[in-house]
Every structure is written in C-alpha cells, then in structure tokens.
C-alpha cells in the first residue's frame, strides 16, 4: 500500500479489527488518532502487521480502552507498536519481532514505545499464543524491546529475547510531557536474554532519541 493500511480518526463506538493481515505499507499498518471517550473500545485481535515502513501500530490520544491481543508484528520499521497519550492499554500475548530502524536515517527500531501514557499493561502467559500458535515475545529489536517515555508500564511474564537493549525508561520531557517520570513495574515471570543466556530485566536510561511528533491524518 502507498500509505497506511488502516487510518481511523476521531471515531466513536467500538473499533474491532480481527484476523486481518496489514503488510507492506509505506506508512503505518494501523493508525488510530484521537478516539473519543464514548462507550466502546479498540480491539486488534489475531492480526498480522508486517513490513510496514512507518511502523506496525500507532495509537495517539486514545480515550477508549485499547487491546492488542494475539497479534504477530514482524519486520516493521520505526516501532512495532507506538502508543502516545493513551489512557489504558493491554498489550498481551503478541509476538513482536525483527523491528527495524527507520529507513530514512537508521534511527529507532523499538518493539514497543509508550509515550506520555497512563496505564500500559504488557503481558504473556503459557496458555495464549500470537495467532493462536506462535509463542509470544519481544524479539530481535534493532534498538529497544520496550521503551517508555513518561509512561506507566507493567510487565508480566514477558519474554525479551535478543533485543539490542531490552528495556529503556526516559523522562516524559523527551516527548512533551515534562515532569512525568517513567515507571516500569515488574509483576514477575519476565525473562530477558539471548541464545539461552539469561540476564536481569533491568531498565536502562540512555537518553535515546525520542520519536518524532505524531503525524496528523
């Protein structure tokens, strides 16, 4: 596709995308912008987002509960999933792998980026699989497996495998929410490492380049 796969702006009611494949976009696979606080939620379930140059999923200004569940995201540029100004999101049982740097300058390549967001839940278990058959994880990210910038993130049973950096936490000033420190809560069961060697799942704070402002539709 020449630009985004799905682009939804200021929607009301439920948004559900189920068992879809969004691949080879020059922009973003799914771009959701400023959904209202009316009843309903946003649900992406059992979808494939692959080789999208601008990223797999970008959610900006989301007032509805968001769920990204059992999806397979592979070889997307920039970020597998980017969340900005999101209230509540559950990112669970997904396989996010081989996230690539941005083609324009070789920057980024993060599995998940959470910016200025209130409550981001990232979880996995041994009973649920991406697309119902792929073991979940955040793997082989060119830069960071999970980056949080001024956001509150909790991790449960998350496998971070062979990312250049597994976890990075930066102050919110990097993304325009100054005074919002990052919080990563380890709820147990998390595993970091590569090729059978396990290391502590300890966030760094390396003053990484922050994402660009969110593009407007």
């Amino acid at each position: 596709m020449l630009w985004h796969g799905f682009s939804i702006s200021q929607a009301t009611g439920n948004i559900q995308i189920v068992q879809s494949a969004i691949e080879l976009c020059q922009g973003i696979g799914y771009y959701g912008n400023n959904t209202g606080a009316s009843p309903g939620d946003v649900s992406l379930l059992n979808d494939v987002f692959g080789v999208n140059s601008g990223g797999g999923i970008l959610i900006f200004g989301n007032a509805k509960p968001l769920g990204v569940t059992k999806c397979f995201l592979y070889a997307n540029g920039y970020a597998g999933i980017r969340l900005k100004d999101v209230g509540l999101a559950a990112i669970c049982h997904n396989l996010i792998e081989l996230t690539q740097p941005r083609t324009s300058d070789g920057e980024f390549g993060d599995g998940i980026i959470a910016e200025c967001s209130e409550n981001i839940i990232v979880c996995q278990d041994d009973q649920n699989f991406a697309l119902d058959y792929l073991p979940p994880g955040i793997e082989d990210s060119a830069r960071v497996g999970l980056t949080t910038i001024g956001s509150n993130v909790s991790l449960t049973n998350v496998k971070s495998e062979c990312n250049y950096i597994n976890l990075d936490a930066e102050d919110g000033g990097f993304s325009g929410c100054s005074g919002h420190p990052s919080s990563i809560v380890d709820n147990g069961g998390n595993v970091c490492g590569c090729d059978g060697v396990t290391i502590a799942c300890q966030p760094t704070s390396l003053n990484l380049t922050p994402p660009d402002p969110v593009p407007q539709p």
Side-chain angles (χ1 to χ4, degrees):
M1 293 186 183
L2 292 177
W3 200 227
H4 307 320
F6 285 92
S7 181
I8 300 176
S9 180
Q10 298 182 348
T12 59
N14 290 319
I15 300 170
Q16 294 185 334
I17 299 176
V18 180
Q19 295 182 339
S20 298
I22 302 96
E23 300 171 296
L24 299 171
C25 298
Q26 293 300 307
I28 302 159
Y30 174 84
Y31 175 31
N33 184 303
N34 281 320
T35 62
S38 56
D41 57 16
V42 179
S43 177
L44 309 179
L45 174 64
N46 279 92
D47 299 311
V48 176
F49 299 89
V51 201
N52 299 299
S53 296
I57 297 168
L58 168 58
I59 309 288
F60 170 59
N62 195 69
K64 298 176 181 297
L66 164 68
V68 180
T69 311
K70 295 186 175 182
C71 292
F72 177 37
L73 298 98
Y74 73 94
N76 295 290
Y78 206 143
I81 300 173
R82 180 183 174 190
L83 309 173
K84 176 73 183 290
D85 297 338
V86 169
L88 172 63
I91 312 297
C92 294
H93 319 305
N94 305 287
L95 175 57
I96 306 169
E97 66 176 12
L98 295 168
T99 306
Q100 301 298 304
R102 185 168 57 185
T103 56
S104 61
D105 58 9
E107 294 279 358
F108 302 101
D110 297 15
I112 300 173
I113 301 175
E115 305 170 73
C116 306
S117 295
E118 295 177 17
N119 187 8
I120 308 300
I121 300 163
V122 183
C123 63
Q124 301 168 7
D125 59 35
D126 58 3
Q127 303 297 318
N128 292 281
F129 298 90
L131 305 182
D132 293 325
Y133 72 93
L134 294 172
I138 305 172
E139 304 176 358
D140 297 296
S141 303
R143 191 175 78 158
V144 185
L146 184 148
T147 301
T148 172
I149 305 172
S151 298
N152 300 313
V153 178
S154 66
L155 305 177
T156 305
N157 297 324
V158 175
K159 182 181 76 170
S160 297
E161 178 81 7
C162 295
N163 303 294
Y164 186 71
I165 301 167
N166 287 307
L167 303 170
D168 189 81
E170 306 289 351
D171 184 85
F174 283 86
S175 287
C177 52
S178 181
H180 288 248
S182 286
S183 169
I184 297 180
V185 177
D186 186 337
N187 287 328
N190 301 301
V191 177
C192 295
C194 188
D195 296 331
V197 178
T198 300
I199 62 174
C201 293
Q202 184 67 37
T204 62
S205 185
L206 300 177
N207 295 324
L208 298 176
T209 302
D212 294 335
V214 172
Q216 295 304 304

